[in-house]
Amino acid sequence: MDPVTPAALLRASPLPPLETRILLTHVLGWRHTQLITRGDDALDSTVVERYRALEARRIAGEPVAQLVGGREFFGLDFEVTPDVLIPRPETELLVETALAALENIARPRVLDLGTGTGAIAVAIASMRPDAQVWALDRSAEALAVAARNAARLLDTQRPGGALELQQSDWYGSLDTALRFNVIVSNPPYIASGDPHLSEGDLRFEPRGALTDEADGLSAIRKIIAGAPTRLAANGVLWIEHGYDQAEAVRALLSAQGFAQVRSEHDLAGIERISGGEWPG
Ligand code: GLN
């Protein structure tokens, strides 16, 4: 029998080539370029078996990020488990917008509600070493993942200190005396009956990170209602939401008394985040 090579596995795989390459580099411990330079290497049968097992699980639907245990977000490699939402590229817009709001504030305080992997909080903390960043989640399992990501990705000597990880149902367990310059959240915003919940990667992600089991806006309502007493004067709140929720979220922000209410478009041209400033 011919030896099995990376090139042969790539040719034979029914998966999109990028997915095959991610699974192959994972089992081989190689860089993507090595799949080309060493494409005709004969592979060890145990490595081939491990690749084929992952390929079969991917064909059965498991997300690539869960199969390899990680996903890149904002240039950082985050650990991903089935306990957390997989970081999405569109969420980088939330990080960029938060960073812009923090630009002229020294030693800012930032709050990330429903942190999951910790991707948003860790990305902000890594770009702004002086920021004090709180990351909350009601899931203990998610907080454990966020803690590992923060420990691996953040400089222990950063002036803002370690990420403040707290188990909390939205603002529930947060010290009421704290005031933040920026509050961000990527909450569960998919309505309970949305058919997407039973399609693709979403089937394998924690349901509590995806849907509020209601109209898709109930978590967003809680986040907006609780923000005014947590924001410093001129502090801002930015929330990620679904492709068709921008108008509703802007209306909620305006009704709560937020100023400068607006939405920002993601790279696909969709109004993906909305926010406003608390006059205080
Ligand atoms: N953006 C995700 C999706 O539609 C949902 C994330 C969320 O509910 N916060 O796949």
Side-chain angles (χ1 to χ4, degrees):
M1 216 170 75
D2 285 343
V4 181
T5 65
L9 289 174
L10 266 161
R11 270 195 307 274
S13 173
L15 299 174
L18 178 62
E19 295 190 356
T20 306
R21 287 198 289 268
I22 293 171
L23 297 181
L24 268 175
T25 52
H26 176 70
V27 297
L28 292 166
W30 289 5
R31 297 174 191 285
H32 281 256
T33 50
Q34 290 178 286
L35 289 180
I36 297 160
T37 58
R38 301 180 62 180
D40 296 322
D41 278 19
L43 297 177
D44 211 67
S45 63
T46 57
V47 163
V48 175
E49 285 318 304
R50 281 176 57 214
Y51 168 75
R52 290 213 163 108
L54 289 184
E55 185 189 79
R57 287 168 65 187
R58 177 59 190 145
I59 292 165
E62 282 183 67
V64 172
Q66 289 181 7
L67 292 173
V68 303
R71 174 56 51 88
E72 195 221 281
F73 177 82
F74 220 81
L76 300 166
D77 285 317
F78 284 89
E79 176 189 341
V80 170
T81 75
D83 291 317
V84 293
L85 189 81
I86 300 165
R88 310 281 204 270
E90 58 267 28
T91 304
E92 293 185 355
L93 175 65
L94 194 60
V95 173
E96 283 158 9
T97 306
L99 288 171
L102 294 171
E103 224 156 58
N104 298 311
I105 306 171
R107 282 189 73 82
R109 281 191 169 160
V110 178
L111 172 62
D112 175 24
L113 295 168
T115 197
T117 50
I120 296 166
V122 171
I124 292 171
S126 86
M127 294 297 286
R128 282 296 301 265
D130 63 328
Q132 286 181 273
V133 182
W134 275 254
L136 277 48
D137 208 292
R138 74 172 172 199
S139 156
E141 291 79 15
L143 281 177
V145 177
R148 287 196 294 274
N149 279 321
R152 214 182 61 259
L153 297 168
L154 291 177
D155 180 359
T156 52
Q157 301 302 314
R158 62 185 298 282
L163 216 60
E164 298 275 354
L165 290 150
Q166 280 182 26
Q167 190 168 9
S168 181
D169 188 9
W170 303 123
Y171 304 94
S173 310
L174 193 64
D175 179 348
T176 53
L178 287 168
R179 296 290 177 275
F180 297 92
N181 302 101
V182 170
I183 299 175
V184 283
S185 184
N186 176 17
Y189 54 68
I190 301 175
S192 59
D194 192 315
H196 290 104
L197 289 169
S198 47
E199 292 169 14
D201 285 4
L202 273 59
R203 293 170 295 166
F204 295 86
E205 293 181 280
R207 194 174 159 93
L210 295 166
T211 177
D212 59 354
E213 304 294 351
D215 65 350
L217 290 168
S218 66
I220 291 174
R221 283 189 201 95
K222 286 181 198 161
I223 291 165
I224 292 174
T229 56
R230 312 289 183 165
L231 282 169
N234 305 115
V236 299
L237 168 66
W238 280 98
I239 303 173
E240 179 171 328
H241 50 66
Y243 71 96
D244 57 354
Q245 293 172 327
E247 206 180 317
V249 176
R250 286 195 303 269
L252 288 167
L253 286 163
S254 297
Q256 187 71 46
F258 278 84
Q260 319 255 357
V261 172
R262 64 190 169 92
S263 303
E264 293 280 354
H265 295 83
D266 66 16
L267 292 174
I270 293 164
E271 286 186 319
R272 178 58 66 185
I273 65 172
S274 296
E277 184 177 313
W278 188 249

